[in-house]
Amino acid sequence: MTDSETRLKALMLRGLDGDTAAYRECLALLGDRLRAYFMRRMAGAPGDVEDLVQETLLAVHLKRSTWDSAQPFTAWAHAVARYKLIDHWRRRKIRQTLPIEDHVEFLVADEPDPGVGLELDRALATLPERQRTLVSDVKLTGLSLAEAGARMGISEGAAKVALHRALKALAERMRRADG
């Protein structure tokens, strides 16, 4: 973990706990990093850099509850910035590619925890058969909602509702298991 990541993550965690000074400092430091990030990619339109910084900071603020504090903060913030940049290019009808080397540290996969599959199997086993099949078909096998619904003899809309309920139930069980 870099010093920058350590500092930003600590400030963000304190900010989420209600420390407004830490949160303000986190956003200021992040803003500086975002400016550098966007300036490297927006050489042809430097006037848009500050707008992108502000849009990204606003998105980070609005979506801060979606950040998993067990994960690196800068990777999450970088993803938000990248999506804002892509949205900007789409609005301007600009087609651009980003070198993969800029993102290699975010693409390195951790070794999967061997216990995860067992936990997933146990959690799925707690669901009724219909929900278990639906989750497996859509989320593990990759079928569309329409395909999974057709296999079960229900409409796509009914499959969507059932899948949502199943995932909500799984999430609740996992939260209780972690608590």
Side-chain angles (χ1 to χ4, degrees), residues 56-77:
T56 305
L57 289 174
L58 181 60
V60 165
H61 173 72
L62 294 173
K63 299 293 184 182
R64 66 190 180 274
S65 64
T66 66
W67 171 56
D68 177 0
S69 61
Q71 300 299 317
F73 173 70
T74 53
W76 176 81

Side-chain angles (χ1 to χ4, degrees), residues 66-171:
T66 66
W67 171 56
D68 177 0
S69 61
Q71 300 299 317
F73 173 70
T74 53
W76 176 81
H78 179 269
V80 172
R82 186 171 178 276
Y83 286 119
K84 288 298 173 184
L85 182 60
I86 291 168
D87 289 346
H88 172 78
W89 286 338
R90 282 185 185 138
R91 283 191 303 269
R92 303 268 193 288
K93 296 185 177 23
I94 297 171
R95 187 157 178 90
Q96 182 117 10
T97 58
L98 295 177
I100 196 142
E101 296 80 32
D102 289 354
H103 310 286
V104 75
E105 67 272 11
F106 303 110
L107 299 174
V108 176
D110 292 332
E111 287 295 315
D113 182 354
V116 170
L118 294 173
E119 289 178 38
L120 180 59
D121 289 342
R122 276 190 230 122
L124 283 172
T126 65
L127 292 175
E129 177 65 31
R130 187 172 169 164
Q131 286 184 339
R132 183 173 49 248
T133 301
L134 191 57
V135 169
S136 178
D137 285 352
V138 174
K139 295 298 182 181
L140 301 177
T141 306
L143 296 180
S144 70
L145 282 168
E147 293 168 328
R151 283 186 66 190
M152 297 179 69
I154 60 175
S155 70
E156 180 178 357
K160 184 176 183 178
V161 169
L163 179 64
H164 174 75
R165 288 180 180 157
L167 293 175
K168 188 175 177 182
L170 276 175

Side-chain angles (χ1 to χ4, degrees), residues 32-51:
D32 292 340
R33 288 181 59 127
L34 291 171
R35 257 179 223 88
Y37 172 80
F38 289 129
M39 287 176 99
R40 284 192 306 272
R41 287 154 180 80
M42 301 290 295
D48 293 335
V49 168
E50 194 59 33
D51 289 342

